[in-house]
Amino acid sequence: MTGGRQPSVAELRPAADNRGMTAFPPGFVWGAATAAYQIEGAVNEDGRGESIWDRFSHTPGAIANGDTGDIACDHYHRWREDIALLQAIGVNAYRFSVAWPRILPAGRGAVNEAGLAFYDRLVDGLLAAGITPWITLYHWDLPQTLEDEGGWPNRETAVAFADYVRIVVDRLGDRVKHWITLNEPWCSSILGYERGEHAPGKRSTRLALRAAHTLLLAHGLATAVIRDRWPDARVGITQILTPAYPASDDPLDVAAAERYDAAYNRWYLDPVFGRGYPGEMRAWLRHDVPPTPSSDFDIIAAPIDFLGVNHYFPAYVAHDDFDPYLRLRRVIPKGAELTAMGWVVQPRAFSDLLQRLHRDYGPIDLVVTENGAAFPDTPPVAGRLADPARVRYLAGYLAEAARAIADGVPLKGYFVWSLLDNFEWAEGYAKRFGLYYTDYATQERTLKDSGRYYRAVVRAGAPLPATTPLD
Ligand code: IFM
């Protein structure tokens, strides 16, 4: 996903208006997304087991402000209200994840009926509300018992995952037809096992690459399980994809951007599309790459029905001899607008990415399973919360999604991250991505202007200018 050249500062500015906007096609999937640990809370209720995020978030110093997901948005108790939030913005789909430790508290073995019953109720509630459930089977909450046995670097975890998936799809597959095996294996492996920023907080490149491989294997095994049980199901994997642009024309920076792309995008994409790991990156990482029997790649390359694209920002990459891993660092271009996460706002990179995925990995349906932004919101006043930066972000990115479709990219759906403010992992509750503001003291949810804007887009079935009057 190297972009070839660094966009100018003018190009970096989000579109003030969306000139030449094209409507989204009929049948387009309009959704909002969440994940279990980020919203559910109720971590000790109804037989749920411990996850690596319970353990990690209770580790002093691991999470900003000492926050944990113990209560989060209390969605476990407020799911009916949250379905009403989805209805109020008019979306036709909801992406959420199933918590593995609610289903199998010890990771494998005894099934917790109360856990399955919770998702049963949620699915039934969504369908009754006319909202299609899209389920992510793994969004980072590995049962702690499996981590104690070696976690994702242990190949046995892939087998345990396939068993867990069988249990979930057997129970819900009569009503749920859209399945995402994994959310962002790059994050699970690199942030969790290489950088120590996410659970389980390990710091080893070797462990991270083992984890990445087991995760991909788990995806392949799970895909086969779902197809076997429900031939009419649609199965995909969600990747975090960060197009890389060289920070300058210097050949060293150009090569660094290519390394970034190979290590962070293609390492996770190429095997899924039957190409194995990128050869040049395999050579670069040499000793840290685990043994990979070729039969693994056959499993990993099980055909999928769609590629889930999570995209937030592009990376501008410079060569850096002090970086021991990839010899690179990300730089922020002068004049770039940043979100509260410090991520560059650059809508144009979104359509570049979608085009590139279509060109290099197509034909495959693409679904944007996450896109959105954290900005510092102030609490609502009299039921209103103006968040113009998030409205501008969505306007710019939706316009680029529409542009990609107009240019022939088979983009079938778009899910905003996130439905409501929630536990933003290592950042705790400090960073807010929601269309709804969550007051964590009262659990009151308030629709932000960005939620009103998104509702208008869904109604119109077309990208709208950020200046659209909101009701
Ligand atoms: O909150 C996360 C989500 O869980 C996975 N994708 C990125 C989001 C924002 O950081």
Side-chain angles (χ1 to χ4, degrees), residues 38 139-140 183-184 310 312 343 370 417 424-425 433:
Q38 294 181 271
H139 200 125
W140 306 355
N183 181 69
E184 302 177 353
N310 286 4
Y312 290 89
W343 298 344
E370 287 181 27
W417 185 268
E424 177 51 27
W425 308 112
F433 280 84

Side-chain angles (χ1 to χ4, degrees), residues 157-429:
T157 303
V159 178
F161 180 67
D163 290 343
Y164 148 72
V165 167
R166 184 172 299 112
I167 293 161
V168 176
V169 302
D170 276 355
R171 179 64 170 258
L172 302 177
D174 57 337
R175 286 152 290 155
V176 176
K177 296 298 169 195
H178 297 86
W179 297 97
I180 295 163
T181 54
L182 304 178
N183 181 69
E184 302 177 353
W186 178 84
C187 293
S188 302
S189 49
I190 298 296
L191 298 182
Y193 291 91
E194 211 253 337
R195 296 194 190 161
E197 293 169 13
H198 280 189
K202 301 268 167 65
R203 288 174 190 273
S204 154
T205 302
R206 182 165 296 194
L207 282 181
L209 293 179
R210 279 172 195 269
H213 191 71
T214 314
L215 282 153
L216 291 172
L217 199 56
H219 155 74
L221 292 173
T223 301
V225 166
I226 303 167
R227 295 230 183 279
D228 175 57
R229 302 306 230 231
W230 300 102
D232 60 337
R234 298 196 44 85
V235 188
I237 181 172
T238 280
Q239 304 282 9
I240 181 80
L241 295 168
T242 307
Y245 298 89
S248 77
D249 293 338
D250 184 329
L252 281 176
D253 288 348
V254 172
E258 274 161 13
R259 284 198 299 283
Y260 188 103
D261 182 47
Y264 292 159
N265 297 317
R266 290 173 51 213
W267 196 265
Y268 298 84
L269 279 172
D270 285 10
V272 169
F273 288 92
R275 301 176 194 172
Y277 291 127
E280 71 281 17
M281 190 42 56
R282 211 182 222 287
W284 178 278
L285 297 169
R286 284 187 306 274
H287 310 301
D288 289 325
V289 180
T292 50
S294 63
S295 53
D296 283 6
F297 290 107
D298 295 337
I299 295 169
I300 294 169
I304 52 174
D305 300 303
F306 63 90
L307 175 66
V309 178
N310 286 4
H311 173 71
Y312 290 89
F313 62 94
Y316 299 93
V317 183
H319 180 88
D320 185 350
D321 277 323
F322 293 105
D323 168 35
Y325 177 36
L326 293 173
R327 303 255 183 282
L328 58 80
R329 77 193 133 85
R330 266 177 44 213
V331 297
I332 305 294
K334 273 202 200 105
E337 187 191 356
L338 301 181
T339 71
M341 299 292 280
W343 298 344
V344 173
V345 178
Q346 167 48 303
R348 193 54 202 259
F350 192 30
S351 48
D352 276 4
L353 168 67
L354 296 169
Q355 298 272 11
R356 170 88 187 274
L357 291 170
H358 179 50
R359 196 169 57 238
D360 290 358
Y361 297 96
I364 177 86
D365 283 355
L366 303 179
V367 177
V368 174
T369 42
E370 287 181 27
N371 175 242
F375 287 105
D377 297 320
T378 50
V381 176
R384 281 306 281 253
L385 191 163
D387 57 340
R390 192 176 289 101
V391 171
R392 278 200 308 278
Y393 181 99
L394 291 177
Y397 278 73
L398 284 161
E400 293 300 323
R403 179 214 291 264
I405 293 172
D407 288 346
V409 175
L411 177 65
K412 303 297 180 184
Y414 175 93
F415 291 77
V416 172
W417 185 268
S418 177
L419 173 63
L420 70 174
D421 297 336
N422 58 48
F423 178 77
E424 177 51 27
W425 308 112
E427 303 290 340
Y429 297 102

Side-chain angles (χ1 to χ4, degrees), residues 391 453 456-457 463-471:
V391 171
Y453 168 80
V457 170
L464 297 173
T467 49
T468 302
L470 303 173
D471 57 5

